[in-house]
Every structure is written in C-alpha cells, then in structure tokens.
Amino acid sequence: MPEYLVRLVQMHESFRKAELQALAELAGVEMDIVKYEEDSPFCILTLPSPAAAKALISRSILSLGIYSLWGHGTSYDLLHASTSQLSSHQWPAFQSTPFRFTVDSFRGTKTAMQQREIIESFSYMNFRGPIKMRDAAAEVFTVFEDYKEHAAELRYLYFGRLVGSSSRHLKTTYDLKKRHYISTTSMDAELALLTANMALAAPGKLFYDPFMGTGGFPIASAEFGAYAWGSDIDGRSIRGTGGSARKGQIGKRDVQGNFKQYGLEGRYLGGFVSDLTNTPLRIQSLQEDGSAVQGRSIGRGWLDGIICDPPYGVREGLKVLGSRAELSDLERSTHRDRYMESGYIPPKRPYSFTALLDDILAFAAETLVEGGRLSMWVPTANDEDVELVIPVNPRLRIMSVCVQRFNKWSRRLLTYRRLAEEEVLEEQGARDEGVMDEKGRENEVGRGAGANELNDFRRKYFEGFKEFERLRRDGSSPRPDGALVADQKGGWDSALRDVFGKGSST
Amino acid sequence: MKLLTLNFLTCAIKTCKTSPSSFPLHPQDSELEIVEADINVLFLRNMLPRLMWNELRLIVNELGLPSLPETAPDASSLLETKLQVPEGDTTGLNIEKIEVPSQVAKDLHRVLLETCIREGKLVCGNCGHEYKVMEGVANFLLPGHLV
Ligand SMILES: [Zn+2]
C-alpha cells in the first residue's frame, strides 16, 4: 500500500497516535503506522488511497496535513535518490500544473537563500507550471528537515506532495479567549475538539456530557456534526448569567448562546440539571449474563458518545445529591413540603472520586450503543499524590490512555468502547482462562504499559474493591495503599463517613 | 426542551426507575414553543430505532398535539426522490434526480426537534414526583427526602 507522511504537531505527544487511530476508524480506512517516534513530528502511514488519506486527516487536531511520500533519507543525496526511485513515475502528471515548493525545518532554520538552494536541487523533476505562492488550488510540495534536539545535526529528510489538510484551524475558531461564556474549569478548545475526535463524534450521532459546565464538549461534538446534549448538577452553569462581557456578544451568557455564537444551535439538544448518581436518563439495567434486568430495562443503548471532564473536587469538593447524615422525620417532611419552592436548594454530600468514575462507567455501559465511545478526563493522581487506577467495566474496552503533563500534576484522557454483548462474554471467557486476546494486548502496549502493569492495575483495583466491601461490613479504617482512594481534601475519612454514614478512626 | 429528549428521560428516583410507569414522564401545565432548526435526515434515521414510539405518541397526545401514526415510520420513508432541472442549466434538455426529505421526515423533525417545552413540569407516573421546567431547562435534582 502507498505510504503517506503526516506532519504532526510536536505537543500532546501521547495523544497523536491515538487520534490517528480514532480517525482511521471514523473514516473507515485501513491504516498501518510504519514509522512513529515520540520526539518527532513526522509519522509514516500506509493507506489505501489519496482519498483515504485526505478523509483521515481532515478531522485531525494534532496534525497539520498529510503528504504523499515521494522520497526520504538521512542526507540530501539519499533523499534525491529515493525521490527518483519512489516518485519519478508521478512527475509527468504535474509538469504543467500550478505549484509551489516549501521547506519545513523542524528544530532548524533555513535562510531564504538556503531554502531556494534546496528547492532548486529538485529541478530535475522538470516542473514547468506557474509558481503560485498563495493560490489554494496549487499543488504543494514540501521538503521536511528533522533536526536533533539542541543540535545542528540533521536526523532525517522527507519529501512529499500535500494531499490533505487537517482541522487544526478549529483551535483558533473555538479559542476560549473569544468565547462569550466560559468558566474557570472550561477545557481548552484544542483538547475539547481532540476529545470529540477520540469519541468519534460525527454527523447523525447523539452525544452527551453529564458534567457540561459551559458546554465546551457538546460544542466540540456539534462542530463535528453530532447532536449534543448535556447536564450539570449546577443549573446556573446551564442557564448562565446576565450581562454582556465580550465584544460582539448580545444578550444572556449561557450555553445556548455559545452554540449560537458558532452557528451550531440547530444541533444543541439542550441542557438539564441533574446529578449522575441520580440520573433521570433512560438506562438498560444489565445482569452478569448480559440479559436485561426484568422490569428495569427500557430500550437498548441509545447514546453514540459520552465525553466529559468529571469534577475532581480539588477546588470545590466533589458533591453529589444527598445528606451527610440520615435525615430526621422533621427534616424529611420539611424537604417534602418545600422542594417545589423556587429558592429550594437540595442538600449535597461529598463523594469519592473513584466511586464517581465507577458510576460513569456503569452509566456508559447502560446507555451507549454497541461500538459507542466514552472519553473522559481523569487526573493521574489524587491531591495526596496517590496514583489513581484506571477504572474498568466488563462491558467497556479501554481503547487508549493519553497523558497530559503539567508542572505539578498530570491527567489522562481515557477512551473506552462499548462492547457488543457477544464480545463481553468472549472477554469474560478469556479472562477466566487467564489469557488476553490479541487486541487487548496491543492496546496495553500501545499505551506504554506492559500487560503485567495493567493486570496489576486490575488486581489492585479489584483488591481495592474487596477492601471496600470488607470495610462496609465491619466499618473499620481503610489502609491508604492507593488501591482505592478518595480525592477530596478531607481524604478517606470524610468520604467514608459519608458513604457508610459513620465515622472512621485514623 | 425538545420532545426528542423526553423520550430518553425517566424519573430520577432509583427505586422508581424499576417501575415501567416511571417512563415516560408526563408534561403538565406546559407552555410550548416552536424553535425552527435545519432538518437532518441522517440523524432522524439513526434515532428511529432508539425511540420508544408508543411513549412518544402518548406524550404527543397529552400535549394536545396532532396524533402520530400507530407504528414508527420506516427509515426508508424519510427520503423521497424529486426530479429537477440542474442548477444553472437553461437548455431545458437536462433533468436530474435528487433525494429530499419526505413529508414524514419533516413531520418527525417538527415533533422531535422543533417542538419544545418552555415552561411547565414533568410528572412521574409512578411516584407522582414533579420536575420543574424553567426556560426550557428541566431540573432533576432530587430533594433531601428522596435521595
Ligand atoms: Zn418516580
């Protein structure tokens, strides 16, 4: 199959391969990664056709474009030799078309004179068409230089013909600096769009964000053609606030207004106020054997994608509906009498982040269509620096784990695929026999962790769960070994008190 | 809130969800509005098999809107072919066949995506709990005595 060169951006490195894989699935094209290095923006793929290459990259956020690979090598002599060998049969087709040549030096700079020399060294291709530096219709040929970091030493050279451009310009279109309504927790536009790609947002699909805030993920999904719906425990974030804060903005600042700003209001299904632990959404309750629980099942999965950035509770403390302690009869009747009054505020209690993640996975398993995806952001560790395990659910297969590092912390984007029920049973069988299927192993390697490491995650996770159950029985103090951790400031203690309704000694 | 979304909403009370009568929620004292939007046949086709049709019909009747057919339309009925003169062609010799949304698709779009509840409440058929809808946003937060 023909080879193509992708010019990636040199940032969010651990997301780049996962994005390409997601986009290949979305475009329905068979793709193989021939060459990929974490510290290089150049990646070589095989794809069936230029049309497939164009379709693949058209949605990409972490690349600039895709090129038909016409030559490559470690020196200019080798690059020219390779170009003659790989692409000379294609030259005649471009002999009279308008074109331009560019030089893209990664970690290097070339003066205008040097660039000219490089371009002229390709004169043997004998292109005689007019040179158009700005014309969008002109063919673009690019020489790529890849230099070593902190060294003038040339690492590799590529030469290619531009086949398709990416969607990276959307990063600017959706820049938060220009968005009318945002909050301190809004995900930046680049990562929101990337998340929508990972979850395969596309025309005709239905997407949902259970922690929508000011609507960043629903907007990104709608940009890619999906119909987007969302909810938040805080009604004020959906309804927004009055007043005008941004230039060119008219009327109320709310999620609806953000959709309007981008001309996407036709694909906004609206927002509602709710808490995921008491969701009003239609769910199919599932038993271990895959059959629906009698009387609880309403329809099958109906969501194509769920994307979210669950509240970590670092800043404001993670809260769900409920009370810290059992309500007295008097309190209950007060709530009963007052809840329809306009100023009524339902009580909330702290909740463990780990428990919330399990709730999200269970919810995804119950609402996604087969093949539907869940993409969610999760911090790598809690605020006591204890590593959080990657949550698992028998009906969801982890597709990719991407890490974004900051100075003092890091977070992961976890993407899962809802399995078909037959696959659930197969995986169950494979687990019971202690063997992993090929796909599972590949995914584990793909995310930079060995099978043992992931199995260790699982083991710890389930041990943690057993521990949890044991604690629930005897109410004793937990062992803070990181197997199961609460993430808020109060740590284990307050979470436990609220989960079990009793104090725990430390 | 669009009527399509009502087809995916039940009572939020966990113990209530097990009862079939907690779905659909029944709109009461509703103030309706039409918010026009572009039709998207691909989306309608994808939603058809996910809809609980009888429950949708029930809601439509409760809101006093024109009744929907007894059975859900077939996906193939969402498009129809139309013959037209190609754009910019003045020769009168050419004709082209294009696919356009059918009346069925337009009606479905009108009901599911353009008919909205602006104010009112949604009532659970099992426990009677009422959820308020304000400015098109429904509130499903449960009061203290129900969590
Ligand atoms: Zn109810």
Side-chain angles (χ1 to χ4, degrees):
Chain A
M1 277 211 288
E3 291 187 335
Y4 294 86
L5 176 75
V6 180
R7 170 60 161 99
L8 300 162
V9 295
Q10 194 56 38
M11 58 189 304
H12 301 310
E13 287 86 350
S14 81
F15 294 71
R16 301 183 304 180
K17 236 165 133 175
E19 190 197 33
L20 289 172
Q21 276 154 347
L23 295 181
E25 185 171 338
L26 191 61
V29 300
E30 201 185 314
M31 176 191 86
D32 273 316
I33 298 177
V34 177
K35 182 181 177 183
Y36 174 88
E37 287 157 349
E38 208 75 344
D39 72 334
S40 166
F42 303 106
C43 163
I44 297 175
L45 308 174
T46 58
L47 289 161
S49 67
K54 199 178 160 130
L56 173 88
I57 225 68
S58 66
R59 279 274 302 266
S60 169
I61 298 298
L62 296 183
S63 78
L64 303 176
I66 192 162
Y67 297 77
S68 185
L69 186 62
W70 277 27
H72 57 101
T74 49
S75 69
Y76 271 97
D77 283 345
L78 291 170
L79 176 66
H80 287 304
S82 160
T83 301
S84 295
Q85 197 201 336
L86 292 179
S87 69
S88 57
H89 64 286
Q90 301 208 54
W91 300 347
F94 298 95
Q95 299 242 300
S96 55
T97 49
F99 74 103
R100 67 174 159 273
F101 250 84
T102 59
V103 178
D104 177 351
S105 293
F106 176 66
R107 289 187 192 137
T109 49
K110 283 278 180 280
T111 63
M113 182 69 94
Q114 289 168 320
Q115 290 192 23
R116 205 190 152 97
E117 276 171 23
I118 291 168
I119 291 166
E120 279 172 358
S121 72
F122 284 85
S123 60
Y124 55 84
M125 294 192 331
N126 216 10
F127 287 1
R128 288 184 301 264
I131 295 169
K132 301 273 189 192
M133 291 315 289
R134 309 218 179 281
D135 189 349
E139 290 287 338
V140 179
F141 297 90
T142 307
V143 179
F144 298 96
E145 297 186 320
D146 188 0
Y147 285 90
K148 282 187 182 160
E149 196 168 10
H150 310 303
E153 200 183 329
L154 195 55
R155 188 161 57 170
Y156 212 77
L157 290 160
Y158 306 89
F159 175 56
R161 176 186 152 248
L162 182 66
V163 175
S165 299
S166 74
S167 276
R168 189 157 177 82
H169 59 276
L170 294 176
K171 176 181 187 288
T172 313
T173 312
Y174 288 92
D175 191 346
L176 291 184
K177 289 196 200 83
K178 291 176 282 181
R179 189 170 303 172
H180 293 164
Y181 174 51
I182 57 168
S183 76
T184 51
T185 53
S186 296
M187 178 74 60
D188 81 69
E190 178 181 23
L191 295 177
L193 291 157
L194 179 63
T195 311
N197 268 348
M198 299 300 295
L200 314 183
K205 290 188 176 181
L206 177 55
F207 268 58
Y208 170 65
D209 178 355
F211 311 98
M212 77 189 293
T214 56
F217 289 128
I219 286 166
S221 321
E223 159 59 36
F224 291 133
Y227 275 72
W229 199 14
S231 63
D232 202 287
I233 194 167
D234 183 359
R236 290 168 304 181
S237 81
I238 299 170
R239 288 202 193 84
T241 55
S244 173
R246 297 276 167 122
K247 202 177 155 208
Q249 184 241 318
I250 319 148
K252 206 173 154 188
R253 293 192 296 154
D254 59 2
V255 178
Q256 175 93 25
N258 277 348
F259 273 85
K260 278 192 186 137
Q261 183 184 350
Y262 303 111
L264 298 173
E265 66 269 32
R267 291 201 287 273
Y268 178 45
L269 291 180
F272 58 93
V273 189
S274 103
D275 165 20
L276 191 82
T277 58
N278 291 282
T279 181
L281 290 175
R282 194 218 263 182
I283 56 170
Q284 44 164 355
S285 290
L286 301 156
Q287 289 177 332
E288 276 311 304
D289 64 358
S291 65
V293 176
Q294 195 61 35
R296 270 205 81 185
S297 176
I298 311 170
R300 301 188 52 116
W302 50 275
L303 280 170
D304 294 289
I306 299 169
I307 58 179
C308 60
D309 180 18
Y312 310 151
V314 173
R315 199 166 304 157
E316 62 275 351
L318 175 59
K319 296 275 172 68
V320 297
L321 289 180
S323 304
R324 284 173 177 273
E326 194 76 24
L327 295 179
S328 69
D329 288 348
L330 178 64
E331 285 168 323
R332 292 178 67 84
S333 67
T334 312
H335 283 295
R336 190 159 39 236
D337 296 343
R338 297 250 170 103
Y339 84 90
M340 282 305 266
E341 290 174 11
S342 62
Y344 178 79
I345 298 166
K348 298 191 182 77
R349 62 185 170 95
Y351 199 58
S352 139
F353 186 62
T354 334
L356 180 69
L357 295 183
D358 286 344
D359 290 350
I360 297 170
L361 261 59
F363 172 79
E366 290 171 334
T367 52
L368 286 175
V369 296
E370 289 178 356
R373 288 202 177 196
L374 161 68
S375 286
M376 67 168 174
W377 288 87
V378 174
T380 312
N382 70 356
D383 49 3
E384 275 151 14
D385 246 358
V386 179
E387 173 141 348
L388 288 163
V389 295
I390 293 170
V392 292
N393 181 292
R395 288 184 173 77
L396 301 170
R397 176 183 288 159
I398 186 101
M399 300 300 285
S400 62
V401 178
C402 305
V403 186
Q404 183 190 20
R405 288 178 212 290
F406 297 93
N407 279 341
K408 293 199 168 145
W409 66 296
S410 58
R411 59 179 174 181
R412 298 183 180 119
L413 175 61
L414 306 177
T415 300
Y416 300 82
R417 181 169 73 86
R418 171 66 161 90
L419 298 171
E421 287 305 326
E422 309 87 76
E423 291 177 287
V424 177
L425 295 175
E426 268 171 37
E427 292 222 336
Q428 183 66 49
R431 261 199 303 277
D432 291 348
E433 286 164 32
V435 287
M436 292 290 294
D437 69 309
E438 277 306 312
K439 189 80 191 166
R441 192 176 303 141
E442 184 191 315
N443 283 327
E444 286 165 13
V445 174
R447 63 171 204 95
N452 284 338
E453 195 183 331
L454 195 74
N455 285 338
D456 195 44
F457 273 141
R458 288 195 182 128
R459 185 179 53 74
K460 264 195 194 164
Y461 184 83
F462 287 116
E463 272 175 9
F465 201 77
K466 278 182 210 140
E467 173 98 329
F468 200 81
E469 290 297 313
R470 189 179 62 75
L471 289 167
R472 170 169 265 165
R473 278 197 309 273
D474 59 31
S476 66
S477 161
R479 209 179 51 227
D481 61 359
L484 193 71
V485 289
D487 78 317
Q488 57 261 351
K489 283 276 176 233
W492 255 110
D493 263 2
S494 66
L496 209 68
R497 204 161 35 241
D498 288 287
V499 171
F500 304 124
K502 60 179 83 155
S504 65
S505 56
T506 39
Chain B
M1 65 184 304
K2 298 178 191 295
L3 292 199
L4 170 67
T5 63
L6 265 184
N7 209 257
F8 299 121
L9 289 164
T10 72
C11 186
I13 299 167
K14 277 184 183 139
T15 50
C16 217
K17 268 184 133 76
T18 57
S19 159
S21 54
S22 68
F23 175 78
L25 297 172
H26 305 279
Q28 278 181 15
D29 309 329
S30 310
E31 186 188 308
L32 297 180
E33 66 175 344
I34 294 287
V35 179
E36 298 205 334
D38 291 339
I39 188 165
N40 184 325
V41 173
L42 177 61
F43 181 65
L44 291 175
R45 193 168 62 206
N46 287 345
M47 287 306 107
L48 267 181
R50 306 180 196 181
L51 289 178
M52 303 295 284
W53 189 257
N54 289 335
E55 286 77 3
L56 176 67
R57 289 185 69 225
L58 180 70
I59 296 297
V60 163
N61 287 340
E62 288 179 358
L63 288 169
L65 298 166
S67 289
L68 292 173
E70 271 181 35
T71 51
D74 192 72
S76 63
S77 68
L78 296 175
L79 285 171
E80 62 189 22
T81 50
K82 194 178 124 188
L83 298 176
Q84 67 167 31
V85 174
E87 206 178 324
D89 186 338
T90 52
T91 63
L93 298 171
N94 301 309
I95 203 134
E96 65 179 7
K97 218 159 123 182
I98 55 160
E99 294 212 300
V100 293
S102 65
Q103 193 57 47
V104 172
K106 287 178 192 163
D107 290 347
L108 202 55
H109 173 71
R110 190 70 158 177
V111 172
L112 295 174
L113 292 150
E114 292 187 327
T115 309
C116 306
I117 299 178
R118 173 134 197 96
E119 302 286 333
K121 55 193 181 186
L122 303 171
V123 185
C124 173
N126 190 55
C127 71
H129 189 71
E130 298 179 351
Y131 301 97
K132 254 193 204 174
V133 181
M134 276 157 54
E135 295 173 56
V137 177
N139 186 341
F140 291 96
L141 295 185
L142 297 173
H145 64 289
L146 293 175
V147 183

